[in-house]
Amino acid sequence: MNDIQKLIDKYMDGLTTRDEEDQLRRYFTSPESIIPADLEWMRALMEWEDTPHPVTRRKHAVVQMLRIAAMLLVVVSIAFALWPRQKSFAIIDGQRVTNREVVQEEALEALNMVSSTDEETFEALFDSP
């Protein structure tokens, strides 16, 4: 009985192996076993676990929908990964440019045209209109 109590404690902590759970099930569901009154709850638990529980239609439908959703996710992910992507581009002087170096050079030139130095900014504070 001491071994059974150790197995019950292990079971309640979620640390039992499949064989240990089978040993508990056999002990508590066997007609020859004499179960103390304070462990009748464990007999009821083991009998409940031994009873096959039918899957309801609703649960089956939910599982089926989850399977379909998972398959759709896989298909969409693969399609997204394989879909040809359009290259990045910029419109410069009315022309579509995809060359990265040319786009960067043009962007730097445009920034230089509108930027100012710290000295120019400081002088602008004191210029009177």
Side-chain angles (χ1 to χ4, degrees):
M1 185 62 193
N2 206 11
D3 290 339
I4 293 296
Q5 187 58 51
K6 286 180 184 176
L7 281 178
I8 292 171
D9 293 340
K10 234 176 129 175
Y11 179 82
M12 297 310 289
D13 290 336
L15 302 173
T16 50
T17 64
R18 182 77 171 159
D19 290 336
E20 290 169 331
E21 288 177 18
D22 289 341
Q23 184 181 351
L24 279 172
R25 240 179 244 98
R26 279 191 307 274
Y27 175 79
F28 282 103
T29 58
S30 171
E32 295 89 34
S33 295
I34 300 171
I35 310 295
D38 63 327
L39 293 179
E40 273 301 317
W41 63 272
M42 191 68 178
R43 177 194 291 265
L45 177 65
M46 290 295 144
E47 286 175 353
W48 182 83
E49 284 187 353
D50 262 1
T51 306
H53 303 283
V55 176
T56 63
R57 289 182 196 212
R58 184 176 178 155
K59 286 182 184 176
H60 182 71
V62 169
V63 169
Q64 192 68 11
M65 289 177 68
L66 288 173
R67 286 181 182 158
I68 292 170
M71 286 189 288
L72 284 173
L73 181 64
V74 169
V75 168
V76 168
S77 298
I78 290 171
F80 184 74
L82 297 178
W83 197 268
R85 293 192 180 103
Q86 188 175 17
K87 283 181 146 182
S88 297
F89 67 93
I91 305 295
I92 300 173
D93 296 328
Q95 299 292 320
R96 179 182 167 143
V97 179
T98 57
N99 185 327
R100 187 179 190 146
E101 289 85 25
V102 172
V103 171
Q104 285 177 337
E105 287 173 17
E106 291 290 327
L108 284 174
E109 282 181 36
L111 284 173
N112 286 334
M113 288 175 17
V114 296
S115 67
S116 63
T117 65
D118 288 339
E119 189 174 301
E120 290 172 335
T121 305
F122 187 72
E123 287 174 4
L125 292 174
F126 298 104
D127 284 345
S128 55

